[in-house]
Structures are given as C-alpha cells and as structure tokens.
Amino acid sequence: MAPSDKNEIYISPNPHFSSAINTTRIMLAVVIALLPLAVYGIILFGIPALITIAVSVVSCVVFEILIQLAFKRPIRIKDGSALVTGLLLALTLPPAVPVWMIILGAFFAIVVAKEFFGGIGSNVFNPALVGRAFLFTSFPAVMGSHWIDPATDAVSSATILSELKEGFVFFEPADYLQYFTGKSAGCIGETSGALILLAAVFLLVTNIIDWRAPLAMIVFTAVPSFLAGNDIIVSVLTGGLLFGAVFMATDYSTVPVTPYGRYIFGAGCGLITFLIRQFGGYPEGVMFSILIMNALTPFLNKLTERKYGHPKLFAGKKNKAAKGGTK
C-alpha cells in the first residue's frame, strides 16, 4: 500500500504480505475445477441434480447479499465466494434432496457459518460443510436415502459405504473402474475419482491449493483401512474422501497456514474418517472429520508457527549439545 500524504498508519491482522492472485481469481479457478464435476453429476443423475445445484447456488448468492445488506457491510458478491460455497454444498448433497431443504442448508452455510463470524476469511468452519452437517443431523432419513442409481434411475436407500457397513461386499476389477469413473450412487459431485483427481492437478498446477493436507488425509485414511482388512482402493475411491481432501481440506480460512500444521490437519482428518467409517454409527466420516479439525486449526497454527528470531525446531538442543561438548 502506498503511503498517504498524511502519513497515516494502517493496522490490520496478519498475514502482512500480498499476492497477484486475489480472491476473485482463486474462486474462479475453484469454479472451473468444480464445473466438470457438476456437469457430470447432471449427466449421471439428471434433472434432480440440476435443480439441486441451481437452487443451492442461487440461495447462497441471495443470502449473502441479504445478510451483508442487513449488517451494513460492503456487498462482496463479485469475489465469487458465495458461488463456490453454493457449488460445494450442492455437490456434497444427494441428488434428490427437497428444494426447501437445500435452501435451509444454504442459509446455514452463508449466514451462520460465514457471515455471523465476520464474512470471508473470518469463518472458523468450512461453510459448505456446516450447511451439509446441519441437514445431515437434522434430516438423516432424507439425507441418507435419496440416492439415485445411475444405471436404473431408481431412488436407492444405500451407497457402497453403507453396504460395506452392513456386511461383506466382494469386489471385482470392473467395480474399481466403476468407482473411478463415478457411475455409482452417491452425492452429486463425489462419485468420479477421475474428475476429482483431474481437478486436483489443475488446482495444484495453478498454485491454488497446497498438497500437504490432501495427501496426508488420503494416506491416513487408506493405511489404517488396509491394516483393518478393508479394500484400500474402495476406501479411497468411494464416499467423499477425495472430494473432501481436494476441496474442503484446502480451504484457506479453515486450515492451518503452516506446512507442519497442514500435515497434522490432514492426518487428523484421515484418521477420524477411518475411525468413523470403521467403528462409528455412520458409514461416512469425511464431513465430521474436517469440521473437527477446523476447530483445532488455531491451535495447530500456534503449535507449528515459526517465531522469527528463534532457532528452528530442535536447533536449540543441538546448539546446547555442541556447547556442552566444548567444555
């Protein structure tokens, strides 16, 4: 910021560095990464998926405008964050969720999880996941039974994770390809591992996301699942693991800013996901694991921060040992 003629001092919270990549460009890149998943979800699940995506996006945008007007805050709709939240919320929902329920989820995502905390950059929890968590805990019967089977267009009451939870399921090579391409019942944007991985590559190449938390989350879900005797490929490709790792565990506002903090964050998400899947009452644990680790993000930032003027971690012990050896 250029100094003013009055030599004014501007005080603002950290971080105190700028980048040529602004919020709008970041959100645009995320939208570009999400669009193939949205289109593929519409192709798989038809009109119900299209309605869910449209209602979620419009509701999030409208609620953000209304709440910013009510709080007399600048209208920031051009930054694209409400659009991204609406897309993320929609893509983590079953295709056939009632419209009024989608609107309610959008309200909690934008108003409660985002604007009540001060708006973009100040929220503690991922807004889209808060909206989904509210719907999931308030209306479990609807959220857990309105799946559409792409092969038959029939409404199903089970996904592969719920079937695994109930008993043994045997897999063949053709099943792995099906889960990789996404032709299975599930949330609108979470079924295609191939498209999610392509989105991850795009976001990594454009420096929009950091690889540490997603990789740690996937590894710490896959390895315990393998040790527990589960199919490691199915554990990674089914459910919301890949989607959550790429799009939710990389949210700038709700994950640690330090490299070590992101490793720990991702590892915690992965381990909690495995524990819920293996021992919990729900077949999937990605949503809860990320929200739990969101609450620990300030602590992880404090724990892993580098204090300038101090030696690196363990450097002090080495220096003391070196001094002791010269006596």
Side-chain angles (χ1 to χ4, degrees):
M1 181 181 295
S4 64
D5 296 335
K6 297 181 180 179
N7 294 321
E8 295 176 338
I9 298 177
Y10 292 89
I11 301 176
S12 64
N14 60 356
H16 302 289
F17 51 87
S18 60
S19 170
I21 303 177
N22 57 26
T23 302
T24 303
R25 291 182 62 183
I26 292 172
M27 296 303 166
L28 177 60
V30 176
V31 169
I32 293 173
L34 289 170
L35 279 179
L37 293 169
V39 172
Y40 189 66
I42 294 171
I43 293 173
L44 284 181
F45 305 117
I47 297 299
L50 176 60
I51 293 174
T52 299
I53 294 172
V55 171
S56 179
V57 169
V58 172
S59 298
C60 284
V61 170
V62 171
F63 280 132
E64 179 158 297
I65 294 174
L66 292 177
I67 195 65
Q68 288 172 350
L69 287 173
F71 288 168
K72 298 182 179 180
R73 295 174 180 168
I75 304 300
R76 297 177 53 91
I77 199 65
K78 291 183 179 180
D79 62 20
S81 61
L83 172 61
V84 170
T85 299
L87 272 175
L88 288 174
L89 175 61
L91 296 180
T92 58
L93 294 177
V97 176
V99 170
W100 66 268
M101 200 176 291
I102 302 169
I103 297 173
L104 190 59
F107 174 84
F108 267 79
I110 294 296
V111 177
V112 177
K114 183 180 176 184
E115 294 299 327
F116 277 4
F117 284 89
I120 185 172
S122 301
N123 50 290
V124 178
F125 301 97
N126 184 284
L129 285 183
V130 170
R132 187 186 193 279
F134 171 78
L135 295 179
F136 187 84
T137 53
S138 301
F139 314 103
V142 175
M143 291 290 291
S145 63
H146 279 51
W147 311 105
I148 296 178
D149 188 345
T152 62
D153 290 332
V155 177
S156 172
S157 60
T159 61
I160 185 61
L161 285 180
S162 59
E163 291 176 355
L164 284 171
K165 194 77 172 178
E166 295 174 357
F168 294 97
V169 180
F170 298 96
F171 303 99
E172 298 180 358
D175 296 325
Y176 299 139
L177 179 60
Q178 178 181 344
Y179 302 142
F180 186 67
T181 57
K183 293 182 179 181
S184 58
C187 295
I188 296 172
E190 296 179 349
T191 61
S192 177
L195 288 179
I196 295 173
L197 292 176
L198 285 175
V201 172
F202 169 74
L203 294 174
L204 287 169
V205 170
T206 53
N207 292 321
I208 299 299
I209 65 173
D210 182 76
W211 57 271
R212 293 173 178 84
L215 180 61
M217 182 175 179
I218 294 170
V219 169
F220 275 80
T221 302
V223 173
S225 298
F226 174 75
L227 296 177
N230 301 326
D231 190 306
I232 190 171
I233 298 178
V234 174
S235 298
V236 171
L237 292 181
T238 58
L241 177 61
L242 291 179
F243 189 91
V246 173
F247 292 104
M248 304 299 192
T250 55
D251 179 21
Y252 289 6
S253 302
T254 60
V255 302
V257 297
T258 63
Y260 288 115
R262 290 175 178 176
Y263 283 127
I264 299 172
F265 180 92
C269 289
L271 187 58
I272 295 171
T273 296
F274 161 74
L275 292 174
I276 294 176
R277 285 182 174 184
Q278 188 72 18
F279 305 107
Y282 298 113
E284 179 60 291
V286 171
M287 173 183 65
F288 293 115
S289 70
I290 295 176
L291 289 175
I292 290 171
M293 294 306 296
N294 283 164
L296 298 180
T297 290
F299 172 74
L300 293 178
N301 282 331
K302 187 71 175 177
L303 181 68
T304 58
E305 69 179 347
R306 170 78 186 280
K307 296 180 177 64
Y308 291 95
H310 290 258
K312 291 184 178 181
L313 190 62
F314 303 127
K317 295 182 179 179
K318 292 181 180 178
N319 292 336
K320 290 181 180 179
K323 291 179 180 179
T326 58
K327 290 181 180 180

